[in-house]
Amino acid sequence: MTVLALDDVSHTFGGRVALDHLTLAVRPGRVTALVGLNGAGKTTALRALAGRLRPTRGVVRLLGHDPATLPADVATRFGHVVDTPLVYPELTVTENLRCAARLHGRSRRDAEAEASAAVGRTGLDPWRHARAGTLSMGNRQRLGIACATLHRPAALILDEPTSALDPQGVVLVRELVRGLADDGAAVLVSSHHLDEVARIADEIVVLHGGHDVGRLQPGGTDLEQRFFAMVLGADTAAAGAGATGTRTGDRA
Amino acid sequence: MTPAAALRAALAVEALKLRRSVVARLATALLVVLVPLASVGMVALARSPQAGGPTAAKLADYATGDLATVHLVVCAQVLSVAALAAGGFFVASSFGRELESGTAGALSGLAVPRGTIALAKCLVALAWIAGCVVLTVAVTVAASAAVTPGGLTAGTWGGAATALVAGLLGGGLALPFAWVATVTRSQLGTVGALVGVVALTQIVVLLGGGSWFPYAAPSLWTGMGGADAASDVGPPHLLLAAAVGPLAVGAVVHAWRRLTDV
């Protein structure tokens, strides 16, 4: 069963194409990584899957449902951090976690327990009573990830989850993501860090210009080379197609 | 999760955010302290032997009549606008900042739907402004009792009821600015719209169309435009003003259900 799915999804912002007939599927127990240059369409794809954006065309499915109208019992099995996390600077770390748990459908008592467990799990104990607005960027990112995962979701979307983290935080998030996937969750992660992606992902999807331009096998020491070769190949193919189109147009 | 449980969760979260809100704390203090001070102070000024010139002319209506009753009349007049301003600033911050900062997007795909969160925000804003209005009137009554030699009269309680109704109507009229904040996705833009509506209200009143204009009716009813204008405002006009809040809540919830590109 596919947990996260984009089927022939396209989206434009004004006249700019962000996604171009993108099809993607993430199955349970798998970590899929989206990699690509800036503006490749990674975040737009994640926003469509999280219900934050209605794409211009195509079908988006999250746990079998339209993410824009997710039933409550299905939403309790979903978590995401895309762009801005569910963190309010005026609330303390514990209050933010408690609020997130309530909004994920937990009772007041369960929210208390889950917030406490999440504080320990993500290494935020020293800042338990600190306002989120006073945290470092890295700790704020940890808190955002904790808010999105404290209910152990079956479908998880993370956009650049380690961008501001120190090495300890990176390991912590890696273990968290792998742990959730090992428990059967479908995880979709976007990242610029190819080394990190190689360690965490079961499958790497390369996006370029809103297209899926191929898959990379995790592992090996030449991941960066293979990535650039694939992107260059896509550009060359697009340029060739454009030139062919022009010549065809000339003949016509 | 049942819709009632979702609303309870959203209310708990929004109530906590209200308690931590700088805008709410500041507006509460300004309403509860400044409005009673203005009510008692302006009447004292109107009745002061030193009052003269344009100030005395402007405050002439407050120079006669039962002291405590006039305190509450002034309270009602100030509160009808102050509650609108305070409520408008609060909903601008409550709704606008979620869209400006991007947390509105983070509120997608949750067990508590965005429409329920928007409803909870409106209910919390209404409860807060209602609490402020009650507290402001209570402090004004207490302040009035402290400075009125003969004590409070039946007229005082009538004035207090008018102030409560005018304040609650003003607070309800702030809710459309939650919709403005949702559409503009800007706190400052919403405050601009609030200022614009207050200016428009002045123009409508000057043109003599105030009683059917919801943003003017409560103030006119309290006597801010004089006794004649007050007598033109009846229950239908006040009911129209009261209907604005619920209609705005419906529009905001609908807009939050349909939010995209957040």
Side-chain angles (χ1 to χ4, degrees):
Chain A
M1 179 208 169
T2 301
V3 175
L4 298 162
L6 296 173
D7 185 11
D8 197 25
V9 169
S10 298
H11 191 74
T12 54
F13 291 104
R16 187 175 60 79
V17 175
L19 294 178
D20 191 8
H21 301 283
L22 178 64
T23 294
L24 180 75
V26 185
R27 287 177 284 127
R30 303 272 291 175
V31 178
T32 298
L34 280 182
V35 298
L37 303 174
N38 288 333
K42 304 184 297 292
T43 301
T44 306
L46 300 188
R47 288 172 72 206
L49 278 164
R52 300 172 65 146
L53 176 76
R54 268 191 298 279
T56 314
R57 61 164 289 173
V59 177
V60 184
R61 282 287 177 266
L62 168 57
L63 292 158
H65 295 265
D66 177 355
T69 54
L70 217 53
D73 60 326
V74 177
T76 54
R77 298 162 56 211
F78 174 54
H80 65 101
V81 182
V82 183
D83 287 336
T84 313
L86 186 58
V87 170
Y88 294 96
E90 70 273 25
L91 305 185
T92 67
V93 166
T94 308
E95 286 170 342
N96 268 298
L97 288 163
R98 217 183 293 142
C99 287
R102 294 301 309 271
L103 295 174
H104 283 304
R106 297 300 193 260
S107 67
R108 187 189 298 228
R109 187 186 302 171
D110 289 350
E112 200 74 49
E114 286 188 359
S116 191
V119 163
R121 207 166 41 232
T122 49
L124 288 167
D125 209 34
W127 299 277
R128 174 185 287 267
H129 301 297
R131 295 269 163 99
T134 67
L135 297 178
S136 68
M137 196 182 285
N139 279 336
R140 215 156 40 229
Q141 189 164 24
R142 281 191 200 203
L143 176 58
I145 292 168
C147 287
T149 56
L150 82 175
H151 58 307
R152 309 290 296 173
L156 177 64
I157 296 173
L158 297 174
D159 188 15
E160 302 284 353
T162 57
S163 60
L165 297 182
D166 59 15
Q168 188 191 33
V170 170
V171 171
L172 206 135
V173 168
R174 191 190 304 155
E175 286 174 358
L176 177 70
V177 167
R178 275 301 350 158
L180 285 168
D182 292 345
D183 287 349
V187 184
L188 181 59
V189 182
S190 84
S191 184
H192 290 300
H193 300 281
L194 294 176
D195 289 349
E196 183 52 36
V197 158
R199 287 198 176 103
I200 205 173
D202 299 304
E203 178 184 41
I204 301 173
V205 179
V206 181
L207 283 192
H208 188 59
H211 296 278
D212 172 357
V213 294
R215 302 287 189 276
L216 292 172
Q217 277 302 314
T221 55
D222 60 342
L223 190 61
E224 196 170 82
Q225 262 181 314
R226 286 187 279 140
F227 168 74
F228 280 116
M230 195 169 274
V231 168
L232 186 64
D235 276 341
T236 308
T244 306
T246 308
R247 283 198 296 276
T248 308
D250 289 346
R251 282 199 298 274
Chain B
M1 187 178 211
T2 64
L7 182 59
R8 275 198 302 276
L11 284 171
V13 171
E14 291 305 321
L16 177 61
K17 282 153 71 178
L18 169 82
R19 288 206 299 277
R20 297 281 186 276
S21 163
V22 175
V23 175
R25 287 178 184 184
L26 203 61
T28 303
L30 288 174
L31 279 176
V32 174
V33 176
L34 279 190
V35 175
L37 272 179
S39 304
V40 175
M42 282 208 283
V43 177
L45 189 62
R47 297 180 181 205
S48 160
Q50 278 82 39
T55 305
K58 276 188 181 299
L59 301 179
D61 286 350
Y62 309 147
T64 56
D66 174 63
L67 182 62
T69 304
V70 180
H71 285 151
L72 270 301
V73 167
V74 179
C75 174
Q77 292 175 355
V78 177
L79 203 49
S80 64
V81 181
L84 166 65
F89 271 82
F90 177 70
V91 296
S93 93
S94 172
F95 285 83
R97 77 94 174 247
E98 304 269 17
L99 289 144
E100 274 184 5
S101 70
T103 46
L107 292 169
S108 306
L110 294 168
V112 177
R114 281 191 308 225
T116 305
I117 291 168
L119 177 62
K121 280 178 177 292
C122 290
L123 294 176
V124 165
L126 268 178
W128 165 71
I129 200 73
C132 284
V133 166
V134 170
L135 199 56
T136 301
V137 174
V139 172
T140 307
V141 168
S144 179
V147 298
T148 304
L152 304 178
T153 62
T156 316
W157 299 113
T162 304
L164 280 175
V165 173
L168 292 174
L169 287 174
L173 288 167
L175 289 174
F177 295 98
W179 180 83
V180 174
T182 303
V183 173
T184 62
R185 302 187 174 199
S186 163
Q187 299 178 69
L188 210 52
T190 307
V191 170
L194 175 64
V195 172
V197 167
V198 172
L200 178 67
T201 304
Q202 295 292 320
I203 295 166
V204 171
V205 169
L206 282 173
L207 294 174
S211 56
W212 283 110
F213 188 59
Y215 284 89
S219 300
L220 291 175
W221 179 61
T222 61
M224 201 182 257
D228 289 346
S231 64
D232 285 346
V233 181
H237 309 102
L238 296 178
L239 282 173
L240 180 64
V244 170
L247 288 173
V249 172
V252 172
V253 169
H254 180 70
W256 269 63
R257 275 189 195 138
R258 293 190 52 76
L259 272 181
T260 185
D261 199 5
V262 286

